[in-house]
Amino acid sequence: MKLTLLMPVLVALILGGCQTTNDSTETSPLLYEQLGMRAGIADIVEDLLFLIVDDDRINEHFAGIDVEQFHTNLTDQLCSISGGPCTYSGRGMRESHADMTITATEFNALAENLILAMDQNDVSTSAQNRLIGRLVPMYPDIRDL
């Protein structure tokens, strides 16, 4: 994987590193709580979907999807990834993105829209960086290099 392909995500993680709290401390709220729990995550996903529709860089990849099912699956996935009680039951990342030929630009566009959706829902930069940090390992399964 080329470092330049992940540069925007890596820069966000590095810049936010100073604001990151230690998850292992007893007083640190779970990322799930910082995202607003399931209801907050659902709001983030809803705003993300509106941003995707308006984004000509990526909206063609989402044409014809079952929006309700996608919303539920992505909400469950982010809930689970953030340490919440949800169980993601959708397809794996490699399977669901097979043959989509997602470019680095498209991957970064979706990450940008996710950050904008979190901003719209007043999620702290620290929590945003923590979530992005948990999503970055999925990159190879989404964009098979």
Side-chain angles (χ1 to χ4, degrees):
M1 172 178 359
K2 295 180 182 178
L3 183 59
T4 56
L5 298 176
L6 288 176
M7 193 57 71
V9 174
L10 292 174
V11 169
L13 290 172
I14 291 168
L15 291 176
C18 297
Q19 300 177 31
T20 306
T21 59
N22 183 353
D23 284 336
S24 64
T25 62
E26 290 181 30
T27 59
S28 176
L30 288 173
L31 177 55
Y32 171 71
E33 293 169 353
Q34 291 178 323
L35 295 173
M37 299 189 287
R38 183 165 175 80
I41 293 168
D43 290 343
I44 292 167
V45 171
E46 182 173 331
D47 289 342
L48 174 61
L49 289 171
F50 282 112
L51 291 166
I52 289 169
V53 167
D54 290 336
D55 192 334
D56 291 334
R57 297 173 296 176
I58 58 174
N59 57 15
E60 68 185 45
H61 287 294
F62 296 87
I65 65 164
D66 179 337
V67 175
E68 186 175 329
Q69 186 63 48
F70 182 82
H71 183 278
T72 298
N73 283 342
L74 187 54
T75 299
D76 286 344
Q77 186 176 35
L78 295 179
C79 174
S80 176
I81 287 170
S82 67
C86 307
T87 301
Y88 174 66
S89 59
R91 295 183 299 165
M93 293 297 97
R94 184 170 296 278
E95 178 187 352
S96 60
H97 294 89
D99 301 323
M100 290 181 73
T101 61
I102 295 173
T103 66
T105 300
E106 292 165 336
F107 179 87
N108 290 336
L110 183 61
E112 177 186 321
N113 286 322
L114 176 58
I115 291 168
L116 288 171
M118 289 189 287
D119 278 343
Q120 291 173 357
N121 287 275
D122 300 318
V123 175
S124 72
T125 302
S126 173
Q128 290 181 30
N129 290 336
R130 290 169 57 208
L131 180 61
I132 295 293
R134 293 179 187 188
L135 295 172
V136 167
M138 295 179 184
Y139 182 80
D141 289 338
I142 293 169
R143 183 165 188 271
D144 194 18
L145 301 175

